[in-house]
Amino acid sequence: MWKAAIEDAVAKTRVNMERFGDRFPHVSKDDQYLLNDNTDWTDGFWSGILWLCYEYTGEREFRDAAARTVESFRRRLERHISLDHHDIGFLYSLSSKAQWMIEKDEAAKTLTLQAADTLMRRWRPKTQILQAWGPEGDEQNGGRIIIDCLMNLPLLYWAYEQTGEKKYYDVALKHAEQSRRFLVRGDDSSYHTFYFDQETGEALKGGTHQGYANGSTWTRGQAWGIYGFALSSKYTNEPLFLETAIRLAKYFLERLPEDDVVYWDFDAPVTPETKRDSSASAIAACGILQILSQLPASHSDRSWLEAGANRSMKGLVQSYSTMSKPDAQGFIERGSYSVRGGNAPDDYMIWGDYYYLEALMRLEKGHKGYWYE
Ligand code: GLY
């Protein structure tokens, strides 16, 4: 089943390369991907899809298209286009870092290190966080973290490994610790976002941006936490991070609905109209597979984690994939960007497609993604 799903995604990407040209897909409207000129937080996912397709097929066409996106990311960094946010890790891990991992291209490595430096400018010593959004000192966002940022930390851990400069590691570790302490709640659910006093560093309150309510658990946030803490554990060997990733995964898997693909928020009332977020299930599956890659063969949590990753991926392939729709642009249907904001609440999400393909490549080929070397 995994192989057929990969081949379908590869075939769709072949057509999408023609459709999209040098532009980047984001989310869809009326089943058509909305394109931008490499100005959004999501543009690395298209690069990641192209690199995965290249690694699966060995076809030069995919490689050249992926390398062209890296050149676009180079121009973006040089001109500092839409980079005043924390999502630099999403952008450069899957584009230039992937190229470095696959081809050992020195220019791609240099670009990725420059991207890490750009992310470091989000560090705020008083709060010991990487500020997610907005300029330093911003009244609304100045002292704010979001759980998604855990996926940006691998860029910094990697920069430490490449350069030996401890500052990258220290910032990533501190941010991960703050996230563990303040975003994860006692029952293993999570806040999407948390606020600190920018001057004193005092922890103020949890909240949400895309979730159902301030104290609810946005399913994609929980999925970012599963994968993000697993990756922090991979880089730091800190057992608490792995334990946290497992606990978040348990919370996630215990709340799967009948078809094994999550709704957009675990606390949203379920009616026939409630939206799903297939992208959350794809991210969580990757995160669980990452956890499994770090657990000893005899570990007592392995069996339920394996079953959970399989259920999630089977659910996606069987009930949400577009395998029976050869002309579809996306790989999986029914992602939601922001149900709360009325933004693409039931559409294709390019990150949903990316993580779906990464999970399939993990299952079929033992691929490990592009987050660490
Ligand atoms: N990182 C933004 C989102 O998940 O919507």
Side-chain angles (χ1 to χ4, degrees), residues 180-193:
R180 202 185 78 79
R181 183 156 173 220
F182 294 106
L183 289 169
V184 180
R185 294 184 289 238
D187 64 353
D188 304 334
S189 64
S190 55
Y191 284 119
H192 180 197
T193 166

PDB file of all heavy atoms in Angstrom, residues 180-193:
ATOM      1  N   ARG A 180       8.858  22.816  26.595  1.00  0.00           N
ATOM      2  CA  ARG A 180       8.426  21.643  27.378  1.00  0.00           C
ATOM      3  C   ARG A 180       7.762  22.091  28.677  1.00  0.00           C
ATOM      4  O   ARG A 180       6.721  21.590  29.066  1.00  0.00           O
ATOM      5  CB  ARG A 180       9.626  20.743  27.681  1.00  0.00           C
ATOM      6  CG  ARG A 180       9.238  19.295  28.007  1.00  0.00           C
ATOM      7  CD  ARG A 180      10.450  18.495  28.420  1.00  0.00           C
ATOM      8  NE  ARG A 180      10.817  18.787  29.791  1.00  0.00           N
ATOM      9  CZ  ARG A 180      10.213  18.283  30.861  1.00  0.00           C
ATOM     10  NH1 ARG A 180       9.208  17.438  30.727  1.00  0.00           N
ATOM     11  NH2 ARG A 180      10.611  18.620  32.064  1.00  0.00           N
ATOM     12  N   ARG A 181       8.353  23.097  29.293  1.00  0.00           N
ATOM     13  CA  ARG A 181       7.853  23.522  30.596  1.00  0.00           C
ATOM     14  C   ARG A 181       6.514  24.248  30.474  1.00  0.00           C
ATOM     15  O   ARG A 181       5.634  24.071  31.318  1.00  0.00           O
ATOM     16  CB  ARG A 181       8.909  24.435  31.224  1.00  0.00           C
ATOM     17  CG  ARG A 181       8.559  24.882  32.594  1.00  0.00           C
ATOM     18  CD  ARG A 181       9.787  25.263  33.407  1.00  0.00           C
ATOM     19  NE  ARG A 181       9.324  25.845  34.656  1.00  0.00           N
ATOM     20  CZ  ARG A 181       9.862  26.893  35.244  1.00  0.00           C
ATOM     21  NH1 ARG A 181      10.929  27.446  34.728  1.00  0.00           N
ATOM     22  NH2 ARG A 181       9.368  27.363  36.359  1.00  0.00           N
ATOM     23  N   PHE A 182       6.352  25.060  29.444  1.00  0.00           N
ATOM     24  CA  PHE A 182       5.184  25.936  29.420  1.00  0.00           C
ATOM     25  C   PHE A 182       4.135  25.579  28.365  1.00  0.00           C
ATOM     26  O   PHE A 182       2.978  25.971  28.504  1.00  0.00           O
ATOM     27  CB  PHE A 182       5.621  27.394  29.238  1.00  0.00           C
ATOM     28  CG  PHE A 182       6.410  27.885  30.428  1.00  0.00           C
ATOM     29  CD1 PHE A 182       7.780  28.059  30.362  1.00  0.00           C
ATOM     30  CD2 PHE A 182       5.765  28.118  31.645  1.00  0.00           C
ATOM     31  CE1 PHE A 182       8.496  28.481  31.470  1.00  0.00           C
ATOM     32  CE2 PHE A 182       6.483  28.546  32.761  1.00  0.00           C
ATOM     33  CZ  PHE A 182       7.853  28.728  32.669  1.00  0.00           C
ATOM     34  N   LEU A 183       4.501  24.875  27.314  1.00  0.00           N
ATOM     35  CA  LEU A 183       3.484  24.540  26.298  1.00  0.00           C
ATOM     36  C   LEU A 183       2.818  23.203  26.572  1.00  0.00           C
ATOM     37  O   LEU A 183       1.681  22.967  26.147  1.00  0.00           O
ATOM     38  CB  LEU A 183       4.117  24.513  24.897  1.00  0.00           C
ATOM     39  CG  LEU A 183       4.517  25.873  24.317  1.00  0.00           C
ATOM     40  CD1 LEU A 183       5.374  25.696  23.061  1.00  0.00           C
ATOM     41  CD2 LEU A 183       3.290  26.719  23.998  1.00  0.00           C
ATOM     42  N   VAL A 184       3.525  22.315  27.268  1.00  0.00           N
ATOM     43  CA  VAL A 184       2.947  20.990  27.543  1.00  0.00           C
ATOM     44  C   VAL A 184       2.247  21.035  28.892  1.00  0.00           C
ATOM     45  O   VAL A 184       2.840  21.455  29.886  1.00  0.00           O
ATOM     46  CB  VAL A 184       4.048  19.906  27.541  1.00  0.00           C
ATOM     47  CG1 VAL A 184       3.450  18.527  27.818  1.00  0.00           C
ATOM     48  CG2 VAL A 184       4.792  19.906  26.209  1.00  0.00           C
ATOM     49  N   ARG A 185       0.985  20.609  28.911  1.00  0.00           N
ATOM     50  CA  ARG A 185       0.215  20.647  30.167  1.00  0.00           C
ATOM     51  C   ARG A 185       0.343  19.307  30.901  1.00  0.00           C
ATOM     52  O   ARG A 185       0.793  18.317  30.332  1.00  0.00           O
ATOM     53  CB  ARG A 185      -1.246  20.979  29.843  1.00  0.00           C
ATOM     54  CG  ARG A 185      -1.386  22.401  29.274  1.00  0.00           C
ATOM     55  CD  ARG A 185      -2.849  22.783  29.030  1.00  0.00           C
ATOM     56  NE  ARG A 185      -3.422  22.072  27.910  1.00  0.00           N
ATOM     57  CZ  ARG A 185      -3.963  22.663  26.836  1.00  0.00           C
ATOM     58  NH1 ARG A 185      -3.992  23.982  26.730  1.00  0.00           N
ATOM     59  NH2 ARG A 185      -4.463  21.930  25.859  1.00  0.00           N
ATOM     60  N   GLY A 186      -0.127  19.324  32.132  1.00  0.00           N
ATOM     61  CA  GLY A 186       0.039  18.161  33.006  1.00  0.00           C
ATOM     62  C   GLY A 186      -0.632  16.901  32.498  1.00  0.00           C
ATOM     63  O   GLY A 186      -0.227  15.790  32.832  1.00  0.00           O
ATOM     64  N   ASP A 187      -1.669  17.056  31.672  1.00  0.00           N
ATOM     65  CA  ASP A 187      -2.360  15.860  31.162  1.00  0.00           C
ATOM     66  C   ASP A 187      -1.819  15.445  29.791  1.00  0.00           C
ATOM     67  O   ASP A 187      -2.447  14.651  29.090  1.00  0.00           O
ATOM     68  CB  ASP A 187      -3.869  16.096  31.080  1.00  0.00           C
ATOM     69  CG  ASP A 187      -4.215  17.186  30.082  1.00  0.00           C
ATOM     70  OD1 ASP A 187      -3.295  17.860  29.551  1.00  0.00           O
ATOM     71  OD2 ASP A 187      -5.426  17.386  29.809  1.00  0.00           O
ATOM     72  N   ASP A 188      -0.675  16.012  29.401  1.00  0.00           N
ATOM     73  CA  ASP A 188       0.004  15.696  28.134  1.00  0.00           C
ATOM     74  C   ASP A 188      -0.669  16.303  26.905  1.00  0.00           C
ATOM     75  O   ASP A 188      -0.344  15.944  25.772  1.00  0.00           O
ATOM     76  CB  ASP A 188       0.188  14.176  27.931  1.00  0.00           C
ATOM     77  CG  ASP A 188       0.927  13.555  29.090  1.00  0.00           C
ATOM     78  OD1 ASP A 188       1.701  14.269  29.758  1.00  0.00           O
ATOM     79  OD2 ASP A 188       0.716  12.349  29.342  1.00  0.00           O
ATOM     80  N   SER A 189      -1.609  17.198  27.125  1.00  0.00           N
ATOM     81  CA  SER A 189      -2.119  18.005  26.012  1.00  0.00           C
ATOM     82  C   SER A 189      -1.194  19.219  25.884  1.00  0.00           C
ATOM     83  O   SER A 189      -0.228  19.355  26.641  1.00  0.00           O
ATOM     84  CB  SER A 189      -3.554  18.443  26.293  1.00  0.00           C
ATOM     85  OG  SER A 189      -3.585  19.298  27.428  1.00  0.00           O
ATOM     86  N   SER A 190      -1.482  20.105  24.941  1.00  0.00           N
ATOM     87  CA  SER A 190      -0.550  21.219  24.729  1.00  0.00           C
ATOM     88  C   SER A 190      -1.275  22.515  24.400  1.00  0.00           C
ATOM     89  O   SER A 190      -2.360  22.504  23.809  1.00  0.00           O
ATOM     90  CB  SER A 190       0.411  20.883  23.576  1.00  0.00           C
ATOM     91  OG  SER A 190      -0.309  20.558  22.410  1.00  0.00           O
ATOM     92  N   TYR A 191      -0.643  23.600  24.803  1.00  0.00           N
ATOM     93  CA  TYR A 191      -1.048  24.920  24.314  1.00  0.00           C
ATOM     94  C   TYR A 191      -0.450  25.121  22.938  1.00  0.00           C
ATOM     95  O   TYR A 191       0.680  24.682  22.673  1.00  0.00           O
ATOM     96  CB  TYR A 191      -0.482  26.026  25.209  1.00  0.00           C
ATOM     97  CG  TYR A 191      -1.173  26.213  26.518  1.00  0.00           C
ATOM     98  CD1 TYR A 191      -0.462  26.043  27.708  1.00  0.00           C
ATOM     99  CD2 TYR A 191      -2.515  26.594  26.581  1.00  0.00           C
ATOM    100  CE1 TYR A 191      -1.076  26.236  28.937  1.00  0.00           C
ATOM    101  CE2 TYR A 191      -3.132  26.790  27.811  1.00  0.00           C
ATOM    102  CZ  TYR A 191      -2.416  26.610  28.975  1.00  0.00           C
ATOM    103  OH  TYR A 191      -3.015  26.798  30.180  1.00  0.00           O
ATOM    104  N   HIS A 192      -1.145  25.850  22.106  1.00  0.00           N
ATOM    105  CA  HIS A 192      -0.539  26.242  20.835  1.00  0.00           C
ATOM    106  C   HIS A 192       0.533  27.293  21.100  1.00  0.00           C
ATOM    107  O   HIS A 192       1.614  27.259  20.527  1.00  0.00           O
ATOM    108  CB  HIS A 192      -1.615  26.801  19.886  1.00  0.00           C
ATOM    109  CG  HIS A 192      -1.082  27.241  18.559  1.00  0.00           C
ATOM    110  ND1 HIS A 192      -1.784  28.055  17.715  1.00  0.00           N
ATOM    111  CD2 HIS A 192       0.093  27.007  17.949  1.00  0.00           C
ATOM    112  CE1 HIS A 192      -1.060  28.291  16.627  1.00  0.00           C
ATOM    113  NE2 HIS A 192       0.077  27.666  16.743  1.00  0.00           N
ATOM    114  N   THR A 193       0.233  28.225  22.000  1.00  0.00           N
ATOM    115  CA  THR A 193       1.127  29.360  22.169  1.00  0.00           C
ATOM    116  C   THR A 193       1.232  29.743  23.642  1.00  0.00           C
ATOM    117  O   THR A 193       0.338  29.423  24.433  1.00  0.00           O
ATOM    118  CB  THR A 193       0.617  30.537  21.280  1.00  0.00           C
ATOM    119  OG1 THR A 193       1.259  31.748  21.657  1.00  0.00           O
ATOM    120  CG2 THR A 193      -0.863  30.750  21.366  1.00  0.00           C
TER     121      THR A 193
END
